[in-house]
Amino acid sequence: MHHILKSVSVIFHPLLMPIAGVLFYFAKTPRFIDREVIWAKLVSLSILTIVLPILLYFLLKTLGRVNSIYLKSTKERIIPLVLNAIVILLVIQRILRPDPYIELYYFFVGVLISTLACLILAIFKFKASIHMIAISGVFMFFIALSIHFSININGTLALMSIVIGAVATSRLHLKAHTYPELLMGIFVGIFPQLILVTKWL
């Protein structure tokens, strides 16, 4: 059971959540977008939001600024969160302009706000669950897209609800977080997406 829950935490790692939102958007959008453009965006985003953070993590680990990829202490979180905020800002400015990707643009603005909120909490010694922030933000984005595009994704939302429960259970079982940290993570993930949805819905 321990290994299964640990695998859940790895499979649904926060680094993978933004790209999951992008994949869902391209799969469901009724707008015509050339496949070459989609692949170019996916490759660029994968490099910036997955590969680059992993490389930065190994650099920080080599420098002794972090001990593990789980960032168990609030002190360990500060530099990675600052770097991640810079990466997300780069995505917003260079890859996903508001026109023609207004939904994705504001999705990543929400991701940036959530990252900064998590950073502020870390500075004040509160360790909100980054796993819950990431997956809750994507969940809210899915709901907004289903309304925006008038599509029925009840099956996807039901599956996402199960995944959120599994991730929360895994974080508790692994003693990585407490209930307040998980709840704060959900709030920090959902709230920015909920507020920004008024910009494009």
Side-chain angles (χ1 to χ4, degrees):
M1 184 65 174
H2 177 84
H3 294 296
I4 293 174
L5 292 174
K6 192 169 184 178
S7 297
V8 168
S9 290
V10 173
I11 292 170
F12 297 101
H13 194 274
L15 288 180
L16 303 177
M17 291 298 100
I19 202 70
V22 175
L23 284 167
F24 185 82
Y25 170 81
F26 283 133
K28 298 299 182 180
T29 179
R31 302 188 186 99
F32 172 76
I33 303 175
D34 190 275
R35 285 190 178 184
E36 290 186 3
V37 173
I38 292 175
W39 278 111
K41 296 295 181 185
L42 289 175
V43 170
S44 300
L45 288 168
S46 296
I47 291 172
L48 283 177
T49 64
I50 299 176
V51 178
L52 182 57
I54 290 173
L55 294 176
L56 289 172
Y57 161 74
F58 283 113
L59 175 62
L60 291 174
K61 188 171 177 62
T62 301
L63 295 174
R65 303 311 295 263
V66 298
N67 294 319
S68 75
I69 197 168
Y70 296 107
L71 305 177
K72 294 182 178 180
S73 70
T74 53
K75 184 178 179 181
E76 281 184 275
R77 290 174 160 224
I78 294 175
I79 294 178
L81 285 170
V82 169
L83 294 175
N84 191 58
I86 293 171
V87 168
I88 299 301
L89 188 60
L90 185 62
V91 168
I92 293 169
Q93 291 184 335
R94 299 295 180 183
I95 299 178
L96 296 174
R97 304 297 297 168
D99 186 23
Y101 309 106
I102 189 169
E103 300 92 348
L104 288 178
Y105 175 81
Y106 281 109
F107 169 57
F108 273 89
V109 171
V111 172
L112 177 61
I113 294 172
S114 294
T115 302
L116 293 175
C118 189
L119 171 61
I120 292 169
L121 289 170
I123 291 172
F124 284 97
K125 310 297 183 184
F126 188 89
K127 194 178 70 168
S129 172
I130 297 177
H131 278 78
M132 299 310 295
I133 291 173
I135 198 165
S136 297
V138 171
F139 181 68
M140 185 65 233
F141 182 60
F142 282 12
I143 293 174
L145 282 182
S146 70
I147 297 170
H148 185 53
F149 294 145
S150 299
I151 53 177
N152 186 340
I153 58 165
N154 290 339
T156 301
L157 295 179
L159 180 60
M160 283 290 291
S161 298
I162 294 171
V163 169
I164 289 173
V167 171
T169 300
S170 72
R171 305 313 289 157
L172 287 171
H173 181 80
L174 297 172
K175 294 181 171 51
H177 288 287
T178 61
Y179 282 104
E181 291 169 350
L182 292 178
L183 291 173
M184 180 60 75
I186 293 172
F187 176 78
V188 172
I190 288 178
F191 191 68
Q193 298 296 334
L194 186 62
I195 294 301
L196 290 170
V197 79
T198 59
K199 299 289 186 180
W200 56 270
L201 189 59

